[in-house]
Amino acid sequence: MEPGTRDTVTRAAGWLAGAVAGLALVVAGTAKAMHPATFVADIWSYHLVPESWAYWIAVFLPWLEIVAGAALITHRLHTGARLVAAGMFIVFAVALAISWARGLDVACGCFGGGPPSAAGATNYPWLITRDLLLLACLAVEPWLARRTTKRTQTRP
Amino acid sequence: MKALREVCVLAAVAALPAALALALHPELTDRARTGLAPDAVRPAEVAAWTAPVLWVDARDAAAFARGHVPGAVRLDEDNFSASLGGVLAAWSPDMRVVVYCDTAACSRSRELAQRLREAGLSEVHHLHGGWEAWSRAHATP
Protein backbone atom coordinates (compact mmCIF):
# COMPACT_ATOMS: atom_id res chain seq x y z
CA MET A 1 0.00 0.00 0.00
CA GLU A 2 1.28 3.48 -0.85
CA PRO A 3 2.37 5.45 2.26
CA GLY A 4 -0.15 8.20 1.49
CA THR A 5 -3.00 5.70 1.17
CA ARG A 6 -1.90 3.95 4.34
CA ASP A 7 -1.93 7.26 6.24
CA THR A 8 -5.44 8.00 4.97
CA VAL A 9 -6.67 4.56 6.01
CA THR A 10 -5.01 4.97 9.41
CA ARG A 11 -6.63 8.38 9.94
CA ALA A 12 -10.02 7.01 8.87
CA ALA A 13 -9.67 4.05 11.25
CA GLY A 14 -8.80 6.39 14.10
CA TRP A 15 -11.79 8.61 13.34
CA LEU A 16 -14.11 5.60 13.06
CA ALA A 17 -13.04 4.22 16.43
CA GLY A 18 -13.68 7.60 18.07
CA ALA A 19 -16.99 7.91 16.24
CA VAL A 20 -18.14 4.55 17.64
CA ALA A 21 -17.53 5.82 21.17
CA GLY A 22 -19.17 9.12 20.22
CA LEU A 23 -22.26 7.42 18.85
CA ALA A 24 -22.61 5.36 22.03
CA LEU A 25 -22.45 8.57 24.07
CA VAL A 26 -25.03 10.36 21.92
CA VAL A 27 -27.49 7.44 22.11
CA ALA A 28 -26.96 6.95 25.85
CA GLY A 29 -27.16 10.67 26.59
CA THR A 30 -30.35 11.11 24.57
CA ALA A 31 -32.07 8.20 26.35
CA LYS A 32 -31.19 9.71 29.73
CA ALA A 33 -32.03 13.29 28.79
CA MET A 34 -35.55 12.20 27.83
CA HIS A 35 -36.20 10.71 31.29
CA PRO A 36 -34.24 12.65 33.90
CA ALA A 37 -36.37 11.43 36.80
CA THR A 38 -35.60 7.79 35.94
CA PHE A 39 -31.91 8.62 35.61
CA VAL A 40 -31.96 10.26 39.07
CA ALA A 41 -33.24 6.99 40.52
CA ASP A 42 -30.55 5.06 38.62
CA ILE A 43 -27.76 7.30 39.97
CA TRP A 44 -29.19 7.07 43.45
CA SER A 45 -29.25 3.25 43.31
CA TYR A 46 -25.42 3.28 43.35
CA HIS A 47 -25.42 5.08 46.74
CA LEU A 48 -22.19 6.85 45.79
CA VAL A 49 -23.26 10.52 45.81
CA PRO A 50 -25.52 12.59 48.07
CA GLU A 51 -29.16 12.75 46.95
CA SER A 52 -29.06 16.40 45.91
CA TRP A 53 -26.00 15.71 43.71
CA ALA A 54 -27.92 12.95 41.91
CA TYR A 55 -30.43 15.49 40.58
CA TRP A 56 -27.79 17.89 39.23
CA ILE A 57 -25.82 15.02 37.70
CA ALA A 58 -28.99 13.60 36.13
CA VAL A 59 -29.72 16.90 34.44
CA PHE A 60 -26.21 17.86 33.28
CA LEU A 61 -24.47 14.57 32.49
CA PRO A 62 -26.72 13.43 29.60
CA TRP A 63 -26.17 16.70 27.76
CA LEU A 64 -22.42 16.51 28.31
CA GLU A 65 -22.53 12.99 26.83
CA ILE A 66 -24.47 14.21 23.80
CA VAL A 67 -22.18 17.19 23.21
CA ALA A 68 -18.96 15.18 23.71
CA GLY A 69 -20.31 12.35 21.54
CA ALA A 70 -21.22 14.76 18.74
CA ALA A 71 -17.77 16.34 18.99
CA LEU A 72 -16.15 12.90 18.60
CA ILE A 73 -18.29 12.05 15.58
CA THR A 74 -17.69 15.37 13.83
CA HIS A 75 -14.03 15.47 14.96
CA ARG A 76 -14.49 18.99 16.35
CA LEU A 77 -12.85 19.82 19.69
CA HIS A 78 -11.89 16.18 19.57
CA THR A 79 -9.04 16.39 22.08
CA GLY A 80 -11.32 17.81 24.74
CA ALA A 81 -14.11 15.46 23.72
CA ARG A 82 -11.79 12.46 24.07
CA LEU A 83 -10.80 13.66 27.53
CA VAL A 84 -14.42 14.14 28.61
CA ALA A 85 -15.50 10.79 27.16
CA ALA A 86 -12.54 8.94 28.71
CA GLY A 87 -13.31 10.50 32.08
CA MET A 88 -16.92 9.37 31.83
CA PHE A 89 -16.10 5.78 30.84
CA ILE A 90 -13.61 5.52 33.68
CA VAL A 91 -16.07 6.92 36.23
CA PHE A 92 -18.85 4.60 34.98
CA ALA A 93 -16.60 1.54 35.14
CA VAL A 94 -15.34 2.43 38.63
CA ALA A 95 -18.90 3.08 39.89
CA LEU A 96 -20.01 -0.30 38.54
CA ALA A 97 -17.01 -2.03 40.07
CA ILE A 98 -17.70 -0.48 43.48
CA SER A 99 -21.37 -1.48 43.35
CA TRP A 100 -20.39 -4.99 42.30
CA ALA A 101 -17.96 -5.24 45.21
CA ARG A 102 -20.69 -4.04 47.59
CA GLY A 103 -23.11 -6.67 46.27
CA LEU A 104 -25.65 -4.06 45.18
CA ASP A 105 -28.23 -4.70 42.50
CA VAL A 106 -28.16 -1.42 40.64
CA ALA A 107 -29.92 0.01 37.66
CA CYS A 108 -27.02 0.68 35.27
CA GLY A 109 -28.62 3.85 33.92
CA CYS A 110 -26.25 3.52 30.99
CA PHE A 111 -28.92 3.90 28.35
CA GLY A 112 -31.70 5.24 30.56
CA GLY A 113 -32.56 1.68 31.55
CA GLY A 114 -34.46 1.84 34.86
CA PRO A 115 -34.40 -1.05 37.36
CA PRO A 116 -32.92 -4.45 36.56
CA SER A 117 -35.46 -6.94 35.22
CA ALA A 118 -35.07 -9.29 38.18
CA ALA A 119 -33.33 -9.27 41.55
CA GLY A 120 -29.57 -9.87 41.12
CA ALA A 121 -29.81 -9.24 37.35
CA THR A 122 -27.15 -6.52 37.04
CA ASN A 123 -24.65 -7.95 34.54
CA TYR A 124 -21.54 -6.31 35.96
CA PRO A 125 -18.89 -8.11 33.85
CA TRP A 126 -20.59 -7.10 30.61
CA LEU A 127 -21.26 -3.51 31.70
CA ILE A 128 -17.70 -2.93 32.87
CA THR A 129 -16.24 -4.61 29.77
CA ARG A 130 -18.41 -2.43 27.56
CA ASP A 131 -17.13 0.74 29.22
CA LEU A 132 -13.52 -0.44 28.89
CA LEU A 133 -14.04 -1.30 25.21
CA LEU A 134 -15.44 2.17 24.53
CA LEU A 135 -12.47 3.62 26.42
CA ALA A 136 -10.18 1.59 24.18
CA CYS A 137 -11.92 3.07 21.11
CA LEU A 138 -10.85 6.52 22.30
CA ALA A 139 -7.22 5.40 22.49
CA VAL A 140 -7.10 4.11 18.90
CA GLU A 141 -6.71 7.45 17.14
CA PRO A 142 -3.82 8.78 19.28
CA TRP A 143 -2.11 5.40 19.10
CA LEU A 144 -2.42 5.20 15.32
CA ALA A 145 -1.31 8.83 14.98
CA ARG A 146 1.82 8.06 17.00
CA ARG A 147 2.56 5.04 14.80
CA THR A 148 2.09 7.13 11.66
CA THR A 149 4.47 9.80 13.01
CA LYS A 150 7.12 7.17 13.80
CA ARG A 151 6.72 5.66 10.34
CA THR A 152 7.02 9.08 8.69
CA GLN A 153 10.15 9.85 10.71
CA THR A 154 11.84 6.56 9.75
CA ARG A 155 10.90 6.83 6.08
CA PRO A 156 13.92 7.44 3.88
CA MET B 1 -3.96 23.61 27.70
CA LYS B 2 -5.79 23.14 24.40
CA ALA B 3 -7.55 20.06 25.78
CA LEU B 4 -8.64 21.93 28.92
CA ARG B 5 -9.98 24.80 26.84
CA GLU B 6 -11.94 22.37 24.69
CA VAL B 7 -13.34 20.63 27.79
CA CYS B 8 -14.55 23.99 29.11
CA VAL B 9 -16.20 24.80 25.78
CA LEU B 10 -17.96 21.40 25.73
CA ALA B 11 -19.14 21.84 29.32
CA ALA B 12 -20.45 25.34 28.55
CA VAL B 13 -22.30 24.10 25.48
CA ALA B 14 -23.83 21.22 27.48
CA ALA B 15 -24.89 23.60 30.26
CA LEU B 16 -27.33 25.42 27.96
CA PRO B 17 -29.72 22.53 27.21
CA ALA B 18 -29.21 21.29 30.78
CA ALA B 19 -30.46 24.64 32.10
CA LEU B 20 -33.44 24.36 29.75
CA ALA B 21 -34.13 20.83 31.02
CA LEU B 22 -34.11 22.14 34.59
CA ALA B 23 -36.61 24.81 33.64
CA LEU B 24 -38.84 22.13 32.10
CA HIS B 25 -38.60 19.94 35.22
CA PRO B 26 -39.05 22.29 38.20
CA GLU B 27 -39.92 19.34 40.42
CA LEU B 28 -36.33 18.09 40.06
CA THR B 29 -34.94 21.43 41.23
CA ASP B 30 -37.31 21.39 44.17
CA ARG B 31 -36.31 17.87 45.16
CA ALA B 32 -32.61 18.64 44.71
CA ARG B 33 -32.90 21.70 46.93
CA THR B 34 -34.73 19.79 49.68
CA GLY B 35 -32.47 16.75 49.33
CA LEU B 36 -35.48 14.50 48.81
CA ALA B 37 -34.51 10.97 47.80
CA PRO B 38 -35.83 9.85 44.39
CA ASP B 39 -38.03 7.21 46.02
CA ALA B 40 -39.42 9.59 48.67
CA VAL B 41 -42.90 10.99 48.18
CA ARG B 42 -44.85 13.67 49.99
CA PRO B 43 -48.51 13.25 51.08
CA ALA B 44 -49.66 15.76 48.45
CA GLU B 45 -47.89 13.80 45.69
CA VAL B 46 -49.54 10.54 46.79
CA ALA B 47 -52.94 12.24 46.88
CA ALA B 48 -52.48 13.22 43.22
CA TRP B 49 -51.82 9.63 42.07
CA THR B 50 -54.52 7.89 40.09
CA ALA B 51 -53.05 4.41 40.68
CA PRO B 52 -54.24 2.50 43.77
CA VAL B 53 -51.93 2.83 46.77
CA LEU B 54 -50.94 0.21 49.31
CA TRP B 55 -49.87 1.89 52.52
CA VAL B 56 -47.35 -0.05 54.58
CA ASP B 57 -46.87 0.94 58.21
CA ALA B 58 -43.32 0.35 59.48
CA ARG B 59 -43.99 1.46 63.08
CA ASP B 60 -44.38 -0.72 66.16
CA ALA B 61 -47.67 -2.40 67.05
CA ALA B 62 -48.58 0.16 69.73
CA ALA B 63 -48.17 3.11 67.37
CA PHE B 64 -50.15 1.28 64.69
CA ALA B 65 -52.98 0.62 67.15
CA ARG B 66 -53.13 4.29 68.15
CA GLY B 67 -53.69 5.34 64.59
CA HIS B 68 -52.61 4.54 61.03
CA VAL B 69 -53.42 5.39 57.43
CA PRO B 70 -56.81 3.81 56.59
CA GLY B 71 -56.25 0.43 54.94
CA ALA B 72 -52.54 0.32 55.86
CA VAL B 73 -50.84 -3.02 56.41
CA ARG B 74 -48.27 -3.28 59.19
CA LEU B 75 -44.79 -4.58 58.32
CA ASP B 76 -42.66 -5.69 61.24
CA GLU B 77 -38.98 -5.02 60.56
CA ASP B 78 -37.88 -7.58 63.18
CA ASN B 79 -40.23 -10.21 61.78
CA PHE B 80 -39.94 -9.29 58.13
CA SER B 81 -40.41 -12.68 56.49
CA ALA B 82 -43.48 -13.50 58.56
CA SER B 83 -45.18 -10.12 58.13
CA LEU B 84 -44.29 -9.87 54.42
CA GLY B 85 -47.13 -12.33 53.72
CA GLY B 86 -49.67 -9.79 54.90
CA VAL B 87 -48.23 -7.15 52.55
CA LEU B 88 -48.17 -9.52 49.59
CA ALA B 89 -51.77 -10.59 50.27
CA ALA B 90 -52.89 -6.95 50.02
CA TRP B 91 -50.63 -6.07 47.07
CA SER B 92 -51.34 -6.29 43.35
CA PRO B 93 -49.01 -5.34 40.48
CA ASP B 94 -51.04 -2.24 39.56
CA MET B 95 -50.53 -0.73 43.02
CA ARG B 96 -47.97 1.76 44.19
CA VAL B 97 -46.56 0.97 47.60
CA VAL B 98 -45.81 3.69 50.15
CA VAL B 99 -43.98 2.77 53.34
CA TYR B 100 -44.08 5.13 56.29
CA CYS B 101 -42.76 5.30 59.81
CA ASP B 102 -43.01 8.00 62.47
CA THR B 103 -41.29 11.14 61.25
CA ALA B 104 -38.77 12.47 58.73
CA ALA B 105 -35.97 11.42 61.08
CA CYS B 106 -37.00 7.78 60.94
CA SER B 107 -35.06 5.72 58.39
CA ARG B 108 -36.98 2.48 58.89
CA SER B 109 -39.45 3.19 56.09
CA ARG B 110 -36.63 3.74 53.62
CA GLU B 111 -34.91 0.50 54.63
CA LEU B 112 -38.13 -1.50 54.46
CA ALA B 113 -38.95 0.04 51.08
CA GLN B 114 -35.62 -1.28 49.81
CA ARG B 115 -36.33 -4.73 51.28
CA LEU B 116 -39.73 -4.78 49.57
CA ARG B 117 -38.05 -3.96 46.25
CA GLU B 118 -35.62 -6.81 46.82
CA ALA B 119 -38.63 -9.06 47.53
CA GLY B 120 -39.86 -8.28 44.00
CA LEU B 121 -42.35 -5.46 44.50
CA SER B 122 -42.16 -2.61 42.02
CA GLU B 123 -43.10 1.08 42.47
CA VAL B 124 -42.15 1.14 46.13
CA HIS B 125 -41.73 4.53 47.80
CA HIS B 126 -41.31 5.82 51.29
CA LEU B 127 -43.28 8.73 52.75
CA HIS B 128 -41.21 11.81 53.42
CA GLY B 129 -42.11 13.03 56.92
CA GLY B 130 -43.80 9.74 57.84
CA TRP B 131 -47.00 9.41 59.87
CA GLU B 132 -46.46 12.92 61.24
CA ALA B 133 -46.58 14.44 57.72
CA TRP B 134 -49.59 12.35 56.73
CA SER B 135 -51.47 13.35 59.90
CA ARG B 136 -50.70 17.02 59.29
CA ALA B 137 -51.90 16.77 55.70
CA HIS B 138 -55.15 15.10 56.79
CA ALA B 139 -55.81 17.08 59.99
CA THR B 140 -59.41 18.19 60.27
CA PRO B 141 -59.62 21.95 61.00
Side-chain angles (χ1 to χ4, degrees):
Chain A
M1 198 187 281
E2 290 288 328
T5 309
R6 191 160 50 204
D7 288 347
T8 304
V9 169
T10 302
R11 269 200 302 276
W15 169 81
L16 190 62
V20 165
L23 187 62
L25 284 173
V26 169
V27 171
T30 304
K32 291 171 201 160
M34 286 168 63
H35 303 285
T38 305
F39 188 38
V40 170
D42 294 342
I43 294 170
W44 178 74
S45 71
Y46 286 78
H47 298 288
L48 285 174
V49 296
E51 280 135 5
S52 56
W53 288 27
Y55 292 98
W56 304 121
I57 292 170
V59 171
F60 181 66
L61 186 67
W63 291 105
L64 188 60
E65 285 183 294
I66 293 168
V67 168
L72 284 170
I73 293 168
T74 57
H75 217 249
R76 298 269 191 235
L77 305 174
H78 60 100
T79 310
R82 250 204 318 275
L83 204 58
V84 168
M88 284 190 204
F89 294 139
I90 290 170
V91 166
F92 297 160
V94 167
L96 285 165
I98 292 172
S99 298
W100 192 10
R102 284 176 173 176
L104 295 177
D105 186 26
V106 300
C108 171
C110 308
F111 288 85
S117 54
T122 311
N123 190 344
Y124 283 112
W126 159 238
L127 293 173
I128 294 172
T129 303
R130 187 176 63 188
D131 283 334
L132 295 177
L133 284 173
L134 289 170
L135 187 63
C137 286
L138 295 173
V140 168
E141 187 179 5
W143 179 72
L144 287 175
R146 212 167 292 130
R147 279 191 59 178
T148 305
T149 307
K150 275 195 193 148
R151 214 175 22 240
T152 310
Q153 284 169 349
T154 56
R155 217 177 275 159
Chain B
M1 219 30 217
K2 175 191 171 202
L4 201 57
R5 208 164 38 237
E6 290 182 359
V7 167
C8 290
V9 169
L10 292 167
V13 170
L16 297 171
L20 184 61
L22 266 178
L24 292 173
H25 294 276
E27 74 282 3
L28 291 181
T29 318
D30 173 51
R31 292 175 81 95
R33 234 184 267 120
T34 54
L36 211 59
D39 67 334
V41 289
R42 297 187 183 107
E45 290 170 6
V46 180
W49 288 348
T50 51
V53 179
L54 174 63
W55 290 96
V56 176
D57 194 312
R59 301 172 303 158
D60 59 47
F64 185 81
R66 280 196 298 273
H68 53 267
V69 176
V73 178
R74 191 174 159 259
L75 184 61
D76 187 349
E77 186 184 25
D78 298 324
N79 230 344
F80 183 81
S81 303
S83 57
L84 180 61
V87 173
L88 294 177
W91 176 76
S92 60
D94 63 325
M95 286 178 136
R96 291 186 181 188
V97 181
V98 181
V99 187
Y100 67 91
C101 51
D102 289 299
T103 62
C106 171
S107 63
R108 207 177 315 131
S109 59
R110 193 174 186 174
E111 290 154 11
L112 284 177
Q114 178 57 24
R115 291 180 77 176
L116 287 175
R117 273 182 226 111
E118 289 165 2
L121 274 68
S122 56
E123 288 285 351
V124 183
H125 309 267
H126 70 271
L127 188 67
H128 179 70
W131 168 246
E132 189 181 69
W134 190 91
S135 302
R136 221 175 17 245
H138 292 82
T140 45

